[in-house]
Amino acid sequence: MKAELDCLPCMLRRALQTARAAGADGSIQRQVVYSVAQILPELPLSSSPPELSQRVYRLVAQITGNHDPYLKEKQEANRIAMKLYPQIKRAVAEAQDPLLAACKFAIAGNILDLGSQSQYPHPETLLETALGLDLVINDYADFRTSAERAKLILYLADNAGEVVFDRVLIEQILQISEAEIYFMVREKPIINDATREDAQLVGLNKLAQIVTTGSDAPAFLPSECPPEVLKLYRSAELVISKGQGNFEALSEERKNIFFLLRAKCPVAARFLGVDIGAAILKKQE
Amino acid sequence: MKAELDCLPCMLRRALQTARAAGADGSIQRQVVYSVAQILPELPLSSSPPELSQRVYRLVAQITGNHDPYLKEKQEANRIAMKLYPQIKRAVAEAQDPLLAACKFAIAGNILDLGSQSQYPHPETLLETALGLDLVINDYADFRTSAERAKLILYLADNAGEVVFDRVLIEQILQISEAEIYFMVREKPIINDATREDAQLVGLNKLAQIVTTGSDAPAFLPSECPPEVLKLYRSAELVISKGQGNFEALSEERKNIFFLLRAKCPVAARFLGVDIGAAILKKQE
C-alpha cells in the first residue's frame, strides 16, 4: 500500500519519540524534528510507509548517534513475554482448535505492542484478550490448509516480545505440518522490531531457521533483499506476515501470503476497510 | 504556557485536517502539508501554542483560499446544542447547586467538542456526562465567591456549539451576581471557534455584551488585542476562560482568571499535572 499525506505528521511525531528513546537532549530533539520536517516534502507518496520511515529513522539515528534506541524496551518485552510463555502454551493446548488459538495469540501479541512494561497488561487480561479476539477479517480455514500442505514456510516477524507468541504459533504449525520454517527478522535494529538476538533469546532457533531481511527497513521489503533472501521468499509456498509494517510492504505482492496483524493507524485501517484496532487474519488476494 | 516540540507534528496533522475541511483537493492538501512542514523550524517554541497555530492556520487559509473551513460544522454544532438547551436548562435548575451544575455543563461542552454531528453524543449521554463530571482541579468555591462579588466579568468563549453551554452558565451567574458580563468571541473565523454570529445565534446578546478579540488567533492573546479590548480585559474583576487555547494563552497572566476546560493533549495535560481528558475548573495562581 502507498503512504498517504497523513503518514507525514505521524512520522514527524515518531521521529521525536525515537529521539527521546535514544536519550537525545532538547537541542538534539529539536534538530531531529527540524531535519525530519525538512525532508518530508521529499518523501515519495508512491512508496509504502515503511520505505518512507526507513529514511526517517536513518536520519534520526544519524543525528542522535544511537542506532538501537529501543534496546532496553525490547529486552524487557522479551523477558515479560517469556514469563507468560508457559501459560500461553497451556491455554493454546487446551483450546478447542489449538492452531486457531495460537493465531489469536500471535495477533494479540501484535495488538499489545510490548513497547514498555507500563503498557503491558496483566497476564490474565492478555489471555482473555487473545482467546476472545474477534477476527474482523478471518481467512483461518485457508490458512490452516496452506500450513498443512506447505513444505517451506517463511514467517516474517514484527516486534521483540511478540516473537514469543510467534513461537507458540510455530509450535502449533509444526503439529499439523511437515514444513521447514524460516523465521525472518530484521537485519539491523529498527524501532522495537525483532532481530536475530530476540528470536534466539526466545528459543525460535530450535524450531526454525533464523534468517534476516538484509536491510534496515522496518518491514520486509522484497526490493531491498539480497538475492539469497529473495530466493527464499520466492520459493516459500506460504508466507506468514506479522504486523502492519510487513502488511504495508507486501499488500500488493502476488504470493500466497497470510497477514496477521492489528490495524494500528487510520491509513491502514481505511485501506483494509476496518476500524482502528481490528484484528486481522487475511489471505493475500 | 510555552509550545513544546510535540506541538509541531500535531500542528502539521491539524493543517492537513483543516485543508481537507476547506475542501482542498489532493494537490492543494500536499502543498499545505509541505509548506507547513517547511515553516515548522521557524516557529518559536518560546511562544504559546495558539500563537504558533495562528501562523499555521494563516498559511493554510492562504493556500486553500478558504478562510472559514469549519463554517458548516459550526452551524451544525449550534443547531444541535440549541436543541439540547431546554433539557440542559431544566437539569441545571433542578440540580442541588445550579451554578456548579452549569459550570459542569460548560466544561462538558468543551469536552464534547461539537465539531460534527457524528461525534456528537446522544442528549442523555451528554446530560449524564456533564452532571457526573469529576473536576480533577476544582476551585469552584472560589469561583462562586468571585462571581458573586464581581461588577464586571469577561467571559472568553471557545467553540461554536459550546456557546449554548456558556449561555446556561451565564444565566446562572446572573442569578447570583449583579455583574455586567462581556462575552468575548474571536474576531475572525478560526477553526471551529465561536464568532459574533455564533454568540448571537444562541441568544447570548440578550445576556451579555458581545465583544471580539480583534485578532485571528485561536485564543485570546492580550498582546494582539486592540487598546479598547485590552482595557476591558484589564478592568474585568473576573475573567472566565473557556477551553485549552485560552488557557495556553493566559496561563502566565497575573489576573483573577478561572479556567474551565478539558485537557485535550499531552502537552497541556503534562503542564497541568493531570491526565488527558481531565475536566478542570482552575483559579489562576
Side-chain angles (χ1 to χ4, degrees):
Chain A
M1 69 183 256
K2 286 176 181 162
E4 294 188 14
L5 276 174
D6 309 69
C7 301
L8 303 184
C10 182
M11 282 179 194
L12 190 59
R13 185 178 55 75
R14 289 167 66 189
L16 171 58
Q17 198 177 309
T18 306
R20 286 189 179 136
D25 65 18
S27 126
I28 301 286
Q29 285 175 31
R30 219 164 30 243
Q31 204 188 324
V32 164
V33 171
Y34 294 170
S35 308
V36 171
Q38 293 301 312
I39 65 157
L40 291 180
E42 296 160 23
L43 300 178
L45 296 176
S46 53
S47 299
S48 69
E51 289 173 285
L52 305 194
S53 7
Q54 179 183 31
R55 201 164 147 197
V56 169
Y57 286 120
R58 271 183 193 163
L59 182 56
V60 176
Q62 188 192 319
I63 296 170
T64 62
N66 185 335
H67 291 257
D68 198 1
Y70 291 101
L71 178 61
K72 273 194 178 168
E73 277 194 313
K74 286 189 288 185
Q75 289 169 339
E76 186 65 2
N78 289 330
R79 197 188 61 75
I80 295 167
M82 272 312 277
K83 269 180 77 175
L84 289 172
Y85 173 69
Q87 270 177 282
I88 297 168
K89 203 172 158 70
R90 200 177 323 123
V92 166
E94 288 167 2
Q96 209 182 346
D97 183 340
L99 182 66
L100 176 60
C103 286
K104 288 187 173 182
F105 271 103
I107 297 167
N110 186 245
I111 281 179
L112 296 168
D113 214 334
L114 314 177
S116 81
Q117 192 173 12
S118 68
Q119 295 173 300
Y120 201 82
H122 192 274
E124 313 286 306
T125 320
L126 168 69
L127 290 165
E128 274 173 38
T129 306
L131 292 170
L133 209 61
D134 178 34
L135 301 176
V136 176
I137 300 178
N138 185 352
D139 291 329
Y140 170 69
D142 274 354
F143 172 76
R144 187 181 179 101
T145 312
S146 266
E148 280 167 350
R149 290 183 189 160
K151 298 283 171 246
L152 200 167
I153 297 175
L154 179 62
Y155 193 114
L156 308 176
D158 189 13
N159 300 319
E162 191 179 330
V163 286
V164 171
F165 303 78
D166 298 325
R167 174 175 168 176
V168 173
L169 176 51
I170 288 174
E171 285 167 353
Q172 287 306 317
I173 292 172
L174 290 172
Q175 296 281 319
I176 62 149
S177 174
E178 307 275 305
E180 188 173 9
I181 300 182
Y182 287 81
F183 191 75
M184 172 133 356
V185 290
R186 314 292 188 233
E187 169 81 13
K188 294 177 182 174
I190 177 81
I191 339 172
N192 63 333
D193 291 9
T195 57
R196 187 181 288 278
E197 289 65 36
D198 302 300
Q200 281 171 347
L201 190 84
V202 306
L204 269 156
N205 50 324
K206 293 174 211 150
L207 305 166
Q209 296 267 16
I210 314 290
V211 284
T212 70
T213 55
S215 117
D216 62 352
F220 175 72
L221 297 174
S223 60
E224 294 228 346
C225 289
E228 69 278 13
V229 176
L230 202 57
K231 195 176 157 202
L232 175 64
Y233 170 68
R234 292 226 173 100
S235 42
E237 294 147 282
L238 165 62
V239 175
I240 301 172
S241 162
K242 283 291 301 291
Q244 188 176 304
N246 287 327
F247 171 73
E248 289 171 349
L250 299 173
S251 64
E252 277 150 43
E253 289 286 294
R254 298 183 160 235
K255 180 91 194 151
N256 187 36
I257 309 177
F258 285 82
F259 298 104
L260 281 68
L261 74 148
R262 172 201 187 184
K264 288 183 179 168
C265 82
V267 174
R270 212 158 40 225
F271 184 81
L272 282 155
V274 300
D275 290 335
I276 292 181
I280 287 156
L281 197 172
K282 180 184 164 64
K283 187 182 185 347
Q284 178 65 310
E285 278 146 20
Chain B
M1 71 183 253
K2 288 175 180 161
E4 294 189 15
L5 276 173
D6 310 67
C7 300
L8 304 184
C10 181
M11 282 177 194
L12 190 60
R13 185 177 54 75
R14 289 166 66 190
L16 173 57
Q17 197 176 310
T18 307
R20 287 189 179 138
D25 65 17
S27 125
I28 300 286
Q29 287 175 29
R30 218 164 32 242
Q31 204 187 324
V32 164
V33 171
Y34 294 170
S35 307
V36 171
Q38 293 301 312
I39 65 156
L40 292 181
E42 297 160 23
L43 300 178
L45 296 177
S46 53
S47 299
S48 69
E51 287 173 287
L52 305 193
S53 5
Q54 179 184 29
R55 201 163 147 197
V56 169
Y57 287 120
R58 272 181 193 162
L59 182 57
V60 176
Q62 189 192 319
I63 296 170
T64 62
N66 185 336
H67 291 258
D68 198 1
Y70 291 101
L71 177 62
K72 273 196 179 167
E73 280 195 312
K74 287 189 286 184
Q75 289 169 338
E76 185 65 1
N78 289 330
R79 198 188 60 74
I80 296 167
M82 273 310 278
K83 268 180 77 176
L84 290 172
Y85 173 70
Q87 272 177 283
I88 297 168
K89 203 173 160 70
R90 200 178 323 124
V92 165
E94 287 167 2
Q96 209 182 346
D97 183 340
L99 181 65
L100 176 60
C103 286
K104 288 187 173 181
F105 270 104
I107 298 168
N110 186 244
I111 282 179
L112 298 169
D113 215 334
L114 315 178
S116 81
Q117 192 173 11
S118 67
Q119 295 173 300
Y120 201 82
H122 193 271
E124 314 285 307
T125 320
L126 168 69
L127 290 166
E128 274 173 37
T129 306
L131 293 170
L133 209 60
D134 178 33
L135 301 176
V136 176
I137 300 178
N138 185 352
D139 292 328
Y140 170 67
D142 273 356
F143 172 76
R144 187 180 181 102
T145 312
S146 266
E148 278 167 352
R149 291 185 188 158
K151 297 284 172 244
L152 199 166
I153 297 176
L154 179 62
Y155 194 114
L156 308 175
D158 190 13
N159 299 320
E162 192 180 330
V163 286
V164 172
F165 303 79
D166 298 325
R167 173 174 169 177
V168 173
L169 176 51
I170 288 173
E171 286 167 350
Q172 287 307 317
I173 292 172
L174 290 172
Q175 296 281 319
I176 61 149
S177 173
E178 307 277 304
E180 188 171 8
I181 300 182
Y182 288 82
F183 191 75
M184 174 140 344
V185 291
R186 314 291 190 234
E187 169 82 13
K188 294 176 182 176
I190 177 82
I191 338 171
N192 64 333
D193 292 8
T195 58
R196 188 182 287 279
E197 289 66 36
D198 303 300
Q200 280 171 346
L201 190 84
V202 306
L204 268 157
N205 49 325
K206 293 175 212 151
L207 305 166
Q209 296 267 16
I210 313 290
V211 284
T212 70
T213 56
S215 117
D216 62 352
F220 175 72
L221 297 174
S223 60
E224 294 227 347
C225 289
E228 68 279 12
V229 176
L230 201 56
K231 196 176 158 201
L232 174 66
Y233 170 66
R234 292 227 172 101
S235 41
E237 294 146 282
L238 166 61
V239 175
I240 301 172
S241 162
K242 282 294 299 293
Q244 188 176 304
N246 288 327
F247 171 73
E248 289 171 348
L250 299 173
S251 65
E252 276 149 44
E253 289 285 293
R254 299 183 158 235
K255 180 89 194 153
N256 187 37
I257 309 176
F258 284 81
F259 298 105
L260 280 68
L261 74 148
R262 171 202 188 182
K264 287 182 180 169
C265 82
V267 174
R270 211 158 42 225
F271 184 80
L272 283 156
V274 300
D275 290 335
I276 293 179
I280 286 156
L281 196 172
K282 181 184 162 64
K283 185 183 184 349
Q284 177 67 307
E285 279 147 19

